[in-house]
Amino acid sequence: MAAAQPSWLNRNVAGMALTSLLADACYEMIIAVLPGFLTAIGVAAGALGWIEGVADATASFVKLGAGWYSDRLGHRKSIVAIGYFLTGTAMSVFALALAWPLVLAGRVVGWLGKGIRGPLRDAMLAESIDPQARGKAFGLHRAADTVGAVVGPLLGVGLLAALPAPSPSAPFRVVFVVSLLPGLASVAAFVLLVQESRKPPQRRLRFWGAMRDLPAAYRRFLRGVGLFGLGDFSHTLLILAAATLLAPAHGAVRAAQLAALLYVLRNVVYAAASYPIGALADRTEKPPLLAAGYGVGALTAFSAAALFLFRVSNLAALAGVFVVAGVYIAAEDALEGAIPADLVAPEKRGAAYGLMGAVNGFGDLGASVLVGTLWTAVSPAVSFSCAGALMLLGALLLVAGGPAPATAGYPPRSAPS
C-alpha cells in the first residue's frame, strides 16, 4: 500500500511548489548568466547595482499595494497569474539588448510581476494549511522553487558551453530566449493546479487604515527585517564577485561559467536546507531561528569582503562562501514567509505580506545600490563589509524585540506535537 500523503501536502501546496520551480528555472537561468552578458556588452558593476536596486524598488511599491488590494477584493489567484506571466516573459527582451537601458526595462517589468505575485501567493499558501504546519509548507515551497533555481542556471551554463559564439554576447542571447519555455509553463501550472476559496470583498478597507491596524508585534518584527534588508544585497553581485576574482586565471567566459556553477551550488544548499529549517521552525520559536539565519547572512558578506581583501581566487574558498549564502537564504525565505501568518489575522494577511515585501524591497534597493556603488567608488571589500555590518545589526534588532506576546499571534501558538 502506498504511504499516506501528509495532510498538509495538499493540491495547493503542491501546485504552488511546481509553479515556483518553473518560474525560478526561468529567471534564475537568466540571473546566473546576466553578469557575464553585461561584461560582454561593456556594462560596469556600478550599473548592475543600480539595475538590481531599481527593479527591487519597483517591486516594493507594487507589493505594498497588491497585498492590500487583494484583501479588499477578497480574491488573489487572477492577480498572481498575471504576476507570473510578467516574470516569465519580460526578461527575455535581454536578447535584444545592446546596452544597459533595455536590461533595466526588462528587469523592472519582470520584478513588477514578482512584486504583484509574491505576497499574494504567500498569503494563499498560508491559508491553504493548518497553522502548525506552516513552517513545513513554506520550507517545501522554498525548496521546490530552489530546485528550479538549480535547474535554470545549469541549463544556462550548459547552453553557454554548447552554443557557438560568433560574438561574445551571442550565446547569452539564446539563453534569454529559451527562458520563455519554463516561464510560460509556470503560468499554466498555477492556473490549472491552484484553487482558491474566495472571501467576501472588503469594499471599505482603506490602504492606510489596513497598514495602521497591523499588530504591534508584527511591526516590531518588521524593524529587524528592514534593517537586515539594508545589507541583504542581490546575489547577482555575489556571482559578479566570483567572476571578477576568477577572470584573471580563467578568462571572462570561463569565469562566468564557473561563477554560475557556484550559484548553482548555492541553490542546491538553499533547496536542501529550506525544508529542514521550516520543519524545525514548527517545533520552536521562529524569530530567534530567523535571527540566527541573519547572522549567517552577515558571515556571508564578511567572507566575500575577505576574498577581495586577501585576493583569494581559490575555487574551494569561493564555494564555501556560496554554501554559507545558501544556508542563510533558506532560513530567510522560509521563516520570513511563515512568521507573518502567526501574527496577523486572515483578513489582513495580504496587507501584512505586502508590507513585508515592500520593506524587503526597499532594503534590497539600498543594499544593491550600496554594494554596487561602493564597489566602484571605493573597493569590493569595503562594500561587502558595510553590507555585513547592516545584516548583523538586523539580527541583533530581531533578537532585541523579544518574543511576541501570546495575545499578539493569530491563532494562539499551540504546543508542537
Side-chain angles (χ1 to χ4, degrees), residues 227-228 230-231 297-299 301-302 382-396:
L227 185 55
F228 173 82
L230 289 173
L299 176 62
F302 289 134
V382 169
S383 68
F384 284 115
S385 294
C386 288
L390 289 166
M391 295 164 96
L392 185 58
L393 288 173
L396 294 174

Side-chain angles (χ1 to χ4, degrees), residues 53-65 108 110-116 119 354 357-358 361-362:
V54 171
D56 286 331
T58 302
S60 300
F61 282 113
V62 176
K63 286 175 182 177
L64 194 58
V108 166
W111 255 226
L112 180 71
K114 193 172 184 182
I116 291 171
F362 285 119

Side-chain angles (χ1 to χ4, degrees), residues 216-285:
Y218 179 71
R219 293 197 298 269
R220 287 199 304 272
F221 163 69
L222 278 188
R223 293 186 191 112
V225 171
L227 185 55
F228 173 82
L230 289 173
D232 190 17
F233 56 90
S234 167
H235 283 193
T236 312
L237 291 164
L238 201 59
I239 299 170
L240 181 62
T244 301
L245 289 165
L246 291 167
H250 299 276
V253 173
R254 180 61 175 163
Q257 292 171 349
L258 291 172
L261 288 173
L262 289 170
Y263 188 63
V264 171
L265 173 63
R266 173 265 201 192
N267 289 339
V268 169
V269 174
Y270 177 8
S274 292
Y275 179 78
I277 289 172
L280 177 60
D282 287 334
R283 296 181 172 274
T284 187
E285 293 294 332

Side-chain angles (χ1 to χ4, degrees), residues 317-390:
L318 288 165
V321 174
F322 279 81
V323 166
V324 176
V327 172
Y328 100 75
I329 289 294
E332 179 184 356
D333 281 2
L335 300 177
E336 283 187 0
I339 289 172
D342 291 344
L343 301 175
V344 181
E347 64 272 13
K348 298 178 181 177
R349 283 182 186 152
Y353 279 106
L355 181 57
M356 184 177 70
V359 167
N360 269 328
F362 285 119
D364 291 343
L365 168 62
S368 295
V369 170
L370 172 73
V371 174
T373 302
L374 287 179
W375 181 319
T376 302
V378 187
S379 73
V382 169
S383 68
F384 284 115
S385 294
C386 288
L390 289 166

Side-chain angles (χ1 to χ4, degrees), residues 81-145:
I82 292 169
Y84 274 112
F85 177 79
L86 293 177
T87 307
T89 59
M91 290 190 290
S92 62
V93 302
F94 294 174
L96 304 176
L98 299 176
W100 64 265
L102 189 56
V103 175
L104 174 62
R107 194 78 157 102
V108 166
V109 174
W111 255 226
L112 180 71
K114 193 172 184 182
I116 291 171
R117 66 173 171 77
L120 276 61
R121 180 208 59 215
D122 284 351
M124 290 179 68
L125 182 58
E127 291 163 2
S128 298
I129 36 139
D130 291 332
Q132 290 75 21
R134 284 196 186 111
K136 295 187 190 75
F138 275 92
L140 177 69
H141 178 268
R142 296 329 189 222
D145 96 4

